[in-house]
């Protein structure tokens, strides 16, 4: 028989006979299987449970009731929960009613009572703040605060706002979005009482401590002015406000946002924020504890950030009062924060317009004393790094500040630092070498502290030998006789020869310029350097491909020859003649060729007239070493009265027989040159007549006739004015004719 579809569906839900065994629930008495649920003896249903095996209905003992434990205390718990729910419901209703009553139309007394009740409920049950938010209570509160002037109402509502937003970023951001920041921060003004200002300050603290967004909106709403007002309060009376201001400014700079820190520095600098901050620093340094040290570090970091801003901000920050106060408190600061503040001072010293303010605030005196007092400390290396950089910036190219540093004892401190490890030397050397450029006071301190031997010892240092030699040259210029004697009496000659012969390419090239200036200035020192090692090095370097190197080497040779009795003998003795002649003939540089030609002619003149002919330059000479290249083109200019003297002086030479007689019979006297090089002639004169024998122009081969032609030319030439005076220039009277008549006894 075929089953229908409906019967099949019904069969799916039919009970199986095998599933009618409930022995797992109803017991099996005596192992027999009877009708389920029947006890063999009592005829009652039995229920097996984990708590009891007794009869389910036959036992009247409540202690064995399996649900007894579940029922114990259920009524009491339910009662307490119901009471709490009822109470909370009543509070919610009350809060909603209070929020609904907060209207601008209410009287001040009513608003004061409502705000006090609402604050009391909120303090007792903080959970009700969600009810205030859900009832849109923040907007009525802000509306009342915007126009209310009643002290109690303002105080209660501010406390309510702070309690609602505490620790809740979402509520804070919503409050900022509806414009709550300017409404609440207005109560931070000094017009309000201290308790109201403290509540406003607590709100400000929430703004810059919770999230970046709230801090950004706080700054955009003019919050920086509020922070500055907090900093300007008296620390003794309003300590909490001041500390909130410090933390607020620090939080603004720690803000990782799109606005550069330089912009915040410029905004705050207009309010002179560092002035009150320096006062707070002085107060904080007098306290102990972790909070005071934290505040000290944050103030130091704020100062450092201002010194890293643009130059305009640095100029505003470099106020003498602020700098003096900060420098005065350096000794009291902890080492780490002290170094941070020293970085602030160093950054300011990098700007030339702030140096006067630093000097007027006694920065040099304070920094030198700080170096002296911390020499044995563990952090001395870092302190000296900052201090020496600052002193170098202050003293560079300024004689008054250099003398100020010298008088405050910087030289012995630098000498002590030089004896330490290498890194600190690099900061001390430039300051010490610059002292030679200072005035009399600085040089007096250098003499007192034996500064010249230190410069000479630096000649062995390849990094500082050029700077040291330049310092010696400057010092020699100012005190020629004393420094010259000191150089001749000490190891200067050995030091120069050592650095000249061992220095590398770049150092050697830089050494030539100050050395040739020094030798030109002091002939005795130049003569002391006439050594074979020096000339061997010169001969080697005359093949340099740099014209300036060849020229400076020739100038050094010329200075040594001028100081010697026989210039030609010096050049010949050390094998320089061939190299010098080659330069005079084929060198491509005009100045090099001219200088080499002068040396060759000096040798020829020395050979012709003997050793005594070279004794003509006891002092400084007029050298072409300072002739600029532009003067080389002046040979095509019309002759000036000065340049015409050479041709005119030839007319007053004595006859050839007298000259030859003196040249053969004995030494020929020479007239010494003046210190400026224009006062006399280096050519021989006869009978002491004093007549000029050569041109007074700088000696170049292209600007004067050969010495032989000067000795043999008997013609008289007239001195003619330059063509620039007119086409019909008339001859001038010879300027030396009157001198000749006076010499010969003919007076007019």
């Amino acid at each position: 028989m075929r089953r229908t579809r409906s019967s099949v569906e019904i069969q799916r839900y039919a009970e199986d006979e095998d599933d009618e065994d409930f022995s797992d629930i109803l017991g099996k008495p005596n192992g027999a299987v009877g009708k389920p649920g029947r006890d063999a003896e009592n005829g009652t249903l039995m229920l097996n449970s984990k708590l009891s095996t007794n009869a389910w209905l036959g036992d009247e003992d409540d202690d064995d009731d399996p649900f007894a434990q579940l029922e114990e205390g259920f009524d009491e718990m339910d009662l307490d929960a119901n009471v709490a729910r009822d109470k909370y419901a009543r509070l919610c209703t009350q809060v909603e009613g209070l929020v609904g009553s907060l209207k601008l139309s209410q009287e001040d007394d009513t608003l004061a009572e409502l705000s006090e009740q609402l604050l009391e409920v909120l303090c007792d049950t903080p959970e009700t703040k969600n009810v205030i938010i859900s009832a849109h209570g923040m907007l009525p509160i802000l509306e009342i605060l915007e126009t209310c002037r009643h002290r109690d109402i303002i105080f209660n509502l501010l406390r309510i706002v702070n309690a609602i937003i505490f620790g809740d970023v979402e509520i804070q951001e919503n409050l900022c979005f509806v414009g709550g920041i300017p409404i609440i921060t207005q109560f931070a003004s000094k017009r309000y009482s201290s308790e109201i200002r403290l509540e406003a300050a607590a709100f400000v603290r929430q703004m810059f401590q919770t999230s970046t967004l709230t801090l950004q909106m706080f700054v955009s709403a003019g919050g920086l002015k509020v922070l500055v007002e907090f900093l300007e309060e008296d620390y003794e009376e309003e300590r909490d406000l001041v500390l909130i201001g410090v933390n607020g400014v620090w939080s603004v700079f720690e803000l990782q946002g799109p606005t550069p820190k330089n912009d915040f520095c410029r905004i705050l600098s207009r309010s002179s924020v560092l002035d009150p901050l320096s006062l707070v620093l002085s107060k904080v340094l007098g306290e102990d504890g972790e909070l005071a040290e934290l505040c000290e570090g944050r103030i130091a970091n704020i100062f450092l950030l201002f010194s890293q801003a643009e130059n305009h901000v640095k100029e505003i920050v470099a106020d003498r009062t602020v700098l003096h106060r900060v420098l005065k408190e350096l000794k009291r600061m902890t080492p780490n924060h002290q170094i941070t503040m020293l970085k602030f001072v160093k950054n300011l010293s990098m700007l030339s317009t702030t140096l006067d303010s630093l000097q007027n605030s006694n920065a040099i005196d304070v920094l030198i004393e700080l170096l002296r007092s911390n020499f044995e400390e563990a952090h001395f290396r870092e302190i000296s790094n900052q201090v020496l950089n600052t002193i170098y910036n202050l003293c560079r190219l300024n004689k008054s500040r250099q003398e100020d540093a010298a008088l405050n004892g910087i030289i012995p401190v630098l000498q002590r630092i030089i004896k330490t490890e290498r890194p600190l030397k690099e900061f001390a050397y430039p300051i010490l070498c610059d002292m030679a450029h200072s005035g009399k006071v600085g040089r007096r301190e250098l003499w007192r502290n034996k500064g010249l031997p230190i410069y000479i010892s630096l000649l062995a240092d390849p990094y500082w030998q050029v700077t040291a030699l330049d310092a010696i040259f400057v010092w020699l210029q100012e005190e020629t006789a004393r420094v010259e004697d000191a150089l001749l009496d000490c190891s200067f000659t050995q030091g120069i020869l050592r650095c000249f012969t061992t220095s590398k390419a770049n150092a050697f090239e830089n050494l030539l310029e100050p050395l040739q200036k020094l030798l030109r200035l002091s002939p005795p020192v130049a003569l002391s350097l006439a050594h074979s090692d020096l000339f061997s090095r010169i001969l080697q370097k005359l093949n340099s491909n740099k014209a300036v190197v060849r020229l400076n080497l020739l100038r050094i040779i010329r200075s040594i020859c001028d100081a010697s009795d026989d210039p030609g003998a010096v050049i010949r003795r050390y094998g320089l003649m061939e190299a010098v002649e080659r330069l005079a003939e084929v060198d491509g540089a005009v100045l090099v060729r001219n200088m080499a030609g002068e040396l060759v002619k000096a040798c020829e003149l020395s050979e012709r007239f003997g050793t005594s002919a070279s004794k003509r330059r006891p002092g400084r000479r007029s050298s072409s070493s300072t002739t600029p290249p532009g003067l080389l083109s002046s040979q095509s200019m019309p002759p000036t009265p000065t340049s015409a003297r050479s041709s005119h002086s030839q007319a007053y030479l004595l006859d050839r027989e007298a000259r030859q007689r003196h040249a053969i019979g004995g030494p020929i006297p020479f007239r010494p040159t003046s210190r400026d090089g224009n006062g006399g002639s280096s050519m021989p004169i006869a009978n002491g007549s004093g007549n000029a024998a050569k041109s007074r122009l700088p000696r170049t081969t292209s600007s004067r006739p050969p010495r032989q032609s000067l000795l043999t030319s008997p013609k008289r030439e007239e001195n003619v004015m330059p063509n620039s005076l007119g086409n019909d220039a008339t001859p001038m009277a010879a300027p030396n004719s009157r001198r000749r008549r006076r010499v010969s006894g003919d007076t007019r």
Side-chain angles (χ1 to χ4, degrees):
M1 181 177 178
R2 188 176 181 179
R3 297 182 179 179
T4 62
R5 184 176 180 180
S6 60
S7 63
V8 173
E9 291 295 330
I10 292 173
Q11 190 64 31
R12 291 176 56 188
Y13 299 101
E15 292 184 355
D16 191 358
E17 294 181 356
D18 296 335
D19 293 338
E20 294 182 357
D21 184 11
F22 299 100
S23 61
D24 57 340
I25 299 176
L26 301 176
K28 296 181 179 180
N30 299 326
V33 179
K35 293 183 179 180
R38 290 290 179 184
D39 185 86
E41 298 178 357
N42 300 325
T44 58
L45 292 173
M46 297 292 294
L47 179 65
N48 289 336
S49 68
K50 296 180 182 180
L51 296 177
S52 175
T53 56
N54 296 328
W56 183 27
L57 298 177
D59 195 354
E60 297 180 357
D61 190 0
D62 293 336
D63 295 337
D64 296 332
D65 188 357
F67 300 100
Q69 295 181 1
L70 300 177
E71 295 177 357
E72 291 181 357
F74 180 77
D75 294 338
E76 295 179 1
M77 293 173 57
D78 187 57
L79 180 61
D80 293 339
N82 289 335
V83 171
R85 284 195 296 270
D86 292 341
K87 182 179 180 180
Y88 183 74
R90 288 194 300 269
L91 288 175
C92 293
T93 304
Q94 181 183 1
V95 168
E96 291 177 354
L98 293 173
V99 171
S101 301
L102 292 175
K103 298 178 181 179
L104 291 174
S105 58
Q106 297 282 3
E107 297 291 335
D108 289 345
D109 295 338
T110 304
L111 289 175
E113 183 178 355
L114 292 173
S115 61
E116 186 175 356
Q117 293 178 8
L118 184 59
L119 178 62
E120 183 179 356
V121 172
L122 189 59
C123 292
D124 294 338
T125 312
E127 296 83 5
T128 55
K129 72 176 185 179
N130 296 324
V131 180
I132 299 176
I133 297 299
S134 62
H136 308 287
M138 293 299 292
L139 287 178
I141 293 174
L142 293 177
E143 291 173 357
I144 296 172
L145 286 174
E146 190 173 6
T147 58
C148 182
R149 294 296 177 265
H150 194 280
R151 175 177 174 178
D152 295 336
I153 298 175
I154 295 173
F155 178 69
N156 292 334
L157 293 181
L158 288 177
R159 290 188 62 186
I160 293 171
V161 171
N162 287 331
I164 293 174
I165 68 172
F166 181 76
D168 196 320
V169 178
E170 184 178 358
I171 296 177
Q172 291 179 17
E173 294 176 354
N174 291 334
L175 179 63
C176 295
F177 285 138
V178 298
I181 292 178
I183 295 175
I184 298 177
T185 54
Q186 66 175 329
F187 299 107
S189 174
K190 295 181 180 180
R191 297 178 299 169
Y192 298 95
S193 62
S194 177
E195 57 183 8
I196 292 178
R197 298 184 68 193
L198 287 174
E199 291 298 326
F203 172 81
V204 171
R205 182 173 55 225
Q206 292 292 318
M207 291 297 102
F208 65 71
Q209 281 185 349
T210 305
S211 70
T212 301
L213 180 59
T214 57
L215 179 56
Q216 289 175 338
M217 288 189 283
F218 172 73
V219 173
S220 65
L224 295 179
K225 293 182 179 180
V226 178
L227 297 177
V228 174
E229 289 181 359
F230 287 163
L231 292 174
E232 293 174 348
E233 292 296 325
D234 187 1
Y235 186 81
E236 302 295 338
E237 297 181 359
E238 300 292 348
R239 182 174 180 271
D240 293 338
L241 290 179
V242 175
L243 294 181
I244 289 174
V246 172
N247 293 327
V249 174
W250 179 81
S251 299
V252 168
F253 284 114
E254 290 296 313
L255 175 64
Q256 300 297 327
T259 306
K261 291 182 174 61
N262 179 81
D263 294 351
F264 291 135
C265 290
R266 183 149 188 163
I267 296 172
L268 290 170
S269 64
R270 292 200 301 263
S271 303
S272 302
V273 69
L274 293 189
D275 185 24
L277 271 178
S278 61
L279 289 172
V280 177
L281 178 63
S282 301
K283 299 293 184 181
V284 169
L285 290 175
E287 298 180 352
D288 296 326
E290 184 178 355
L291 180 60
E293 185 175 354
L294 177 64
C295 187
E296 174 192 349
R298 291 186 173 182
I299 293 175
N301 286 325
I302 292 172
F303 271 83
L304 179 60
L305 289 170
F306 273 89
S307 69
Q308 295 171 345
E310 59 180 309
N311 292 342
H312 175 73
V313 176
K314 291 182 181 179
E315 293 175 356
I316 297 176
V317 166
D319 180 72
R320 179 184 176 277
T321 304
V322 175
L323 293 176
H324 185 272
R325 193 178 295 140
V326 169
L327 292 169
K328 181 181 177 182
E329 302 297 341
L330 274 176
K331 289 184 178 180
R332 301 171 58 194
M333 299 180 70
T334 57
N336 292 335
H337 303 152
Q338 190 179 71
I339 293 170
T340 302
M341 195 62 75
L342 287 174
K343 291 179 181 179
F344 159 75
V345 179
K346 181 195 70 175
N347 291 341
L348 290 185
S349 68
M350 294 179 180
L351 188 64
S352 60
T353 54
T354 64
L355 296 179
D356 289 337
S357 298
L358 287 169
Q359 183 182 9
N360 295 333
S361 60
N362 297 329
I364 296 176
D365 186 11
V366 173
L367 294 177
I368 293 175
E369 180 60 30
L370 190 66
L371 271 181
R372 190 183 296 113
S373 60
N374 287 275
F375 205 91
E376 302 297 334
E377 301 295 334
H379 56 278
F380 173 75
R381 183 172 178 177
E382 188 64 28
I383 288 180
S384 61
N385 185 354
Q386 308 301 327
V387 171
L388 292 177
N389 274 283
T390 305
I391 293 179
Y392 174 75
N393 293 335
L394 284 167
C395 297
R396 183 180 52 186
L397 304 178
N398 189 283
K399 291 185 178 181
S400 64
R401 288 194 280 268
Q402 288 171 353
E403 293 180 350
D404 190 9
L407 289 174
N408 283 282
I410 187 63
I411 295 177
V413 175
L414 294 176
Q415 290 175 331
R416 191 175 179 184
I417 291 175
I418 287 174
K419 298 177 182 178
T420 61
E421 66 272 14
R422 185 79 191 179
L424 294 181
K425 293 181 180 180
E426 307 303 324
F427 298 106
Y429 282 149
I431 303 174
L432 193 59
C433 291
D434 274 352
M435 284 295 166
H437 299 262
S438 63
K440 296 180 180 179
V441 176
R443 290 192 295 271
R444 185 179 68 241
E445 295 297 321
L446 281 174
W447 283 117
R448 182 179 302 171
N449 293 279
K450 300 179 180 180
L452 189 59
I454 296 177
Y455 291 162
I456 295 174
S457 67
L458 286 179
L459 295 176
D461 192 325
Y463 298 102
W464 294 102
Q465 57 188 199
V466 176
T467 306
L469 187 59
D470 184 67
I472 295 173
F473 167 69
V474 171
W475 201 350
L476 181 64
Q477 275 186 317
E478 300 297 332
E479 302 180 51
T480 305
R482 188 176 181 184
V483 176
E484 188 177 80
D485 293 341
L487 293 178
L488 294 174
D489 293 340
C490 63
S491 58
F492 174 73
T493 302
Q494 291 78 7
I496 283 291
L497 291 175
R498 188 181 303 110
C499 75
F500 190 85
T501 55
T502 61
S503 57
K504 303 300 180 181
N506 293 334
F508 180 81
E509 295 173 5
N510 297 329
L511 189 69
L512 296 178
E513 182 71 19
L515 179 59
Q516 67 91 11
K517 290 180 180 179
L518 187 145
L519 298 183
R520 175 175 172 265
L521 183 62
S522 176
V525 175
L527 187 60
S528 68
L529 294 181
H531 196 275
S532 59
D533 293 340
L534 182 135
F535 287 110
S536 299
R537 181 73 164 174
I538 290 177
L539 187 60
Q540 176 186 356
K541 290 295 183 179
L542 279 177
N543 298 321
S544 173
N545 56 359
K546 294 184 178 180
V548 65
V549 174
R550 301 194 300 272
L551 179 61
N552 284 328
L553 290 173
L554 292 175
R555 288 171 177 170
I556 292 173
I557 297 173
R558 184 61 179 269
S559 298
I560 297 176
C561 290
D562 287 347
S564 66
D565 294 338
D566 190 353
V570 172
I571 296 178
R572 290 190 300 272
R573 183 184 309 125
Y574 296 105
L576 300 175
M577 192 63 190
E578 182 180 354
V580 173
E581 287 179 342
R582 187 184 71 253
L583 293 177
E585 294 174 359
V586 301
D587 197 276
V590 177
L591 289 177
V592 175
R593 194 166 59 246
N594 292 344
M595 179 61 68
E598 289 185 5
L599 290 174
V600 171
K601 292 177 181 179
C603 290
E604 293 175 355
L605 183 63
S606 176
E607 292 176 357
R608 174 170 298 185
F609 295 106
T611 304
S612 61
S614 62
K615 297 180 180 178
R616 63 188 184 279
R617 294 182 184 90
R620 293 176 59 184
R621 66 175 181 85
S622 176
S623 172
S624 61
S625 61
T626 58
T627 304
L631 293 180
L632 296 175
S633 61
S634 64
Q635 307 303 325
S636 61
M637 298 292 292
T640 63
T642 303
S643 63
R645 292 178 184 174
S646 61
S647 61
H648 190 71
S649 63
Q650 299 175 25
Y652 302 102
L653 294 174
L654 298 178
D655 58 280
R656 181 179 302 182
E657 295 179 359
R659 292 195 304 273
Q660 292 176 351
R661 187 166 53 250
H662 283 285
I664 298 173
I668 302 175
F670 283 79
R671 178 183 303 156
T673 59
S674 65
R675 293 184 67 86
D676 59 358
N678 294 324
S681 172
S682 61
M683 292 300 296
I685 58 175
N687 298 330
S689 62
N691 292 327
K694 80 161 209 176
S695 171
R696 299 186 183 183
L697 283 176
R699 292 174 297 178
T700 58
T701 57
S702 62
S703 62
R704 64 184 177 94
R707 297 177 189 269
Q708 292 83 355
S709 64
L710 293 179
L711 291 172
T712 60
S713 177
K715 291 185 178 181
R716 172 181 301 183
E717 297 181 5
E718 293 181 345
N719 198 353
V720 182
M721 293 294 290
N723 293 336
S724 60
L725 297 178
N727 295 328
D728 300 330
T730 59
M732 292 181 61
N736 289 335
S737 61
R738 186 174 302 174
R739 183 189 307 170
R740 184 187 62 176
R741 292 169 185 169
R742 285 198 299 269
V743 172
S744 62
D746 183 11
T747 59
R748 186 176 288 183

